[in-house]
Amino acid sequence: MIRTMMAAAAMLAAMLPAAAEAPAAPPALAEAMKYFYVVVPADVNTGNLATEVRRNADGTNQRHVVIAYIDAEDAKTETVEAGLAERTEGRLVNGADLWAATGGDVIWRTTAANAAISNTSRGEPPSFYITQGDGSMVTQEFDGEFKVVFYLDAEEADRVKTEMTDFLATQGQSAALNVVVADFSKVIGAIRDGRLQAVRIASSPSVVRWSMQREAGAVLIRDYKSEMDEAFDALATFVFE
C-alpha cells in the first residue's frame, strides 16, 4: 500500500495542469493529511483528470476544478454510470499534495449517505470526530503522539467509536462517546491557521482497500472490489473448484 501511495505522489506533477506558482501545502496541513488519500479519475489515454466547471458565487472566474473522490466505490459507480468504465484509471493522490497543486481549489466529493448526515451537497463533505461525554475531543496515539482523528466516512467513525467503547468496557470503565459532524472545509481552514493542532485525517476504508488492489495490479476504477465483492469472488472460487 505504501509503495502504491508513494508512486501516486510521484505522478502528481504529471497529472495536474501546469501552474506557474502552485502554492505548497502548509506544514500543518501536510502533516494532518499525511495518510489521507483520495481517488482522482483520469483518462488512461490522455491523462486528463475528471473535472467540473465551477464559477465564483458572483458568476465570475469560470474554471475546470479537479474532482477528488473520498470514497472509491463512489468513484467507480459514477465512472461506470457515465459510460467511461473502459478508459478511466482510479489514481490515488495524497490530499495535501492535491491541495498544494491546485491551490486548494478542489472538489472533495463525498457519498450521498455522508452528505445526507450533514444535509449538504456531495461537494461539501462532512467530517466526523469522536468526543467524550463532556464534549472534549478523543485522541489516539500514533508514533508516540496523541492526535484527534477526523474521519471522512460516518460508518468508519461509528465503528471506531464502538471499538473504543467496547475496549473501555473490558477495562471496567464506561464512557459516553459521541460522533460529531464537522464541515471538512472548515476543518482544513482551522488546521491551516493553527486553531486545530495535532490532527490526523483518515482515508476512507474503501480508498485504503483500493490502494491494496492497485498494488496488486488493478488500474481501472471499474475493477474496484468492495469487501462484499471479494467475499462473493472467494465463494464462487470455492464452489466451482
Side-chain angles (χ1 to χ4, degrees):
M1 179 174 70
I2 297 299
R3 289 198 302 272
T4 300
M5 292 190 171
M6 288 176 65
M11 290 193 300
L12 186 62
M15 290 173 52
L16 295 167
E21 293 183 12
L29 186 61
E31 179 62 26
M33 289 186 167
K34 188 174 181 179
Y35 300 104
F36 173 58
Y37 281 76
V38 291
V39 177
V40 178
D43 189 298
V44 293
N45 298 316
T46 65
N48 292 338
L49 305 180
T51 62
E52 281 187 3
V53 174
R54 286 289 175 94
R55 299 176 180 83
N56 293 347
D58 61 4
T60 62
N61 191 27
Q62 178 173 307
R63 63 207 184 279
H64 291 272
V65 181
V66 174
I67 303 170
Y69 285 88
I70 288 169
D71 184 86
E73 181 80 48
D74 217 28
K76 171 184 177 177
T77 299
E78 290 210 341
T79 298
V80 171
E81 289 178 352
L84 302 173
E86 302 298 323
R87 52 188 262 204
T88 303
E89 175 186 355
R91 292 186 178 177
L92 283 165
V93 182
N94 175 263
D97 289 342
L98 185 58
W99 189 96
T102 61
D105 198 13
V106 181
I107 298 171
W108 308 103
R109 177 152 292 170
T110 191
T111 63
N114 284 328
I117 292 172
S118 57
N119 194 30
T120 57
S121 73
R122 291 178 56 219
E124 302 170 290
S127 60
F128 309 89
Y129 63 95
I130 301 170
T131 67
Q132 300 185 53
D134 62 3
S136 60
M137 291 177 162
V138 172
T139 59
Q140 299 176 54
E141 185 176 3
F142 301 97
D143 301 323
E145 293 185 65
F146 288 89
K147 298 186 176 184
V148 176
V149 180
F150 283 84
Y151 301 91
L152 275 296
D153 181 84
E155 289 187 0
E156 178 68 359
D158 280 331
R159 183 191 66 78
V160 174
K161 184 198 77 169
T162 299
E163 282 188 355
M164 288 180 173
T165 302
D166 292 346
F167 173 76
L168 289 171
T170 66
Q171 306 301 305
Q173 304 175 43
S174 62
L177 302 182
N178 301 296
V179 173
V180 178
V181 182
D183 184 319
F184 184 47
S185 65
K186 291 182 179 178
V187 170
I188 292 175
I191 293 170
R192 289 178 59 204
D193 66 21
R195 285 177 291 132
L196 262 179
Q197 299 180 13
V199 170
R200 173 176 287 205
I201 298 174
S203 295
S204 164
S206 67
V207 171
V208 174
R209 179 177 292 276
W210 176 237
S211 74
M212 293 187 286
Q213 293 169 6
R214 287 276 311 201
E215 191 165 288
V219 175
L220 300 179
I221 190 60
R222 70 167 190 193
D223 295 326
Y224 167 77
K225 293 182 182 295
S226 66
E227 187 174 2
M228 184 175 293
D229 292 334
E230 291 184 337
F232 278 130
D233 287 350
L235 179 61
T237 299
F238 174 78
V239 170
F240 292 107
E241 278 187 350

